[in-house]
Amino acid sequence: DEEFGRAIKNTLQRRQAEAKAKTGALYDQAEKQGAMDVPVYAGDNLSDAFGEIREMMLDRRLPAEYKELAQLADELGLSGVRPASIENIEKYRQQINYILNDPTNSNHSRMAIPLKKAVDKALDNAPDSAAAYKRARASYARDKRETDGNALVTQIMGNKKRTDSPATADEKVYRKIITAPISDVKKMLGDLAKTEGGVNMIHNIGQRRMTDLIDAATKTDGSFNSAQFAKEIKKLDQSGRLEALYGPSRAEELRNIAEVGRNINTLPYGHSANVSQSGNTM
């Protein structure tokens, strides 16, 4: 397994290096031919994106990020009535990733999605005079797909028919991470974390595992058994998967939640939350 893991890592690193070199050469060519200076209008798309962000109230939840991205759009000339250069639009696209880069904060990805869509829509409308840029962009997209989370999962499981998002672990991968020896699990998660889409896949695996644990602690009548939930968390912790999947701080939070629920379940009826109330408390 260790040798197989190293082969996966080496294969992906080689692919990524080759793709980066090829795409970089095409972008250099586009710059020399002046394609990066071609003007493209992104104002309306970006205005709609910021409107969508305000509707979701993300401007209030992430005020610093919202302000920074709005100011940057003005500085690069994307938000006005005049077109901006492809180079500046590309710079803005990169800054979206740089500013909204916290995979543990779902609001980061929620804010990034409409902005990226707006920018990509504008770039899709680049005129024929930017043909060299379009070739570079197509090369980047194609090579990125070949080295994303889908590729890693294919390498691990030999599954040639994956159609899910690279951030979604298929059943075989999920079961392997839940049942394999912890040393193998840590290696797989480490490889995933270095791969495009891999961090989100880890979070999605963690969310699915937590849903499974909650289901396991839910009785047939729909009531929640917090003592059983605490038992399931303890088993996950003893296997080493609690910290591997959720990280040290989140794992500690889950231990505390489980302990609170277990204690609630043991309190005498009438003194505090009773058994039937413990599910609501959890």
Side-chain angles (χ1 to χ4, degrees), residues 153-154 156-162 164 168-180 185 188 201 205 208:
V153 172
T154 298
I156 291 173
M157 304 306 303
N159 185 351
K160 304 297 183 183
K161 298 181 180 179
R162 260 182 74 80
D164 290 337
T168 303
D170 65 16
E171 192 63 30
K172 288 184 179 180
V173 171
Y174 178 71
R175 296 315 312 171
K176 188 164 185 177
I177 286 177
I178 297 307
T179 61
V185 171
M188 282 189 286
M201 185 187 289
I205 290 170
R208 178 176 171 182

Side-chain angles (χ1 to χ4, degrees), residues 103-166:
T104 65
N105 189 333
S106 61
N107 287 328
H108 274 227
S109 59
R110 291 178 66 203
M111 180 180 284
I113 288 170
L115 291 173
K116 289 179 181 178
K117 283 183 177 179
V119 170
D120 289 342
K121 187 176 180 180
L123 292 172
D124 286 340
N125 293 327
D128 292 340
S129 55
Y133 163 73
K134 287 185 172 183
R135 284 194 297 272
R137 188 166 181 250
S139 173
Y140 172 78
R142 182 173 58 253
D143 291 325
K144 184 179 178 182
R145 284 195 299 271
E146 292 177 359
T147 56
D148 65 10
N150 273 331
L152 182 61
V153 172
T154 298
Q155 291 285 349
I156 291 173
M157 304 306 303
N159 185 351
K160 304 297 183 183
K161 298 181 180 179
R162 260 182 74 80
T163 57
D164 290 337
S165 160

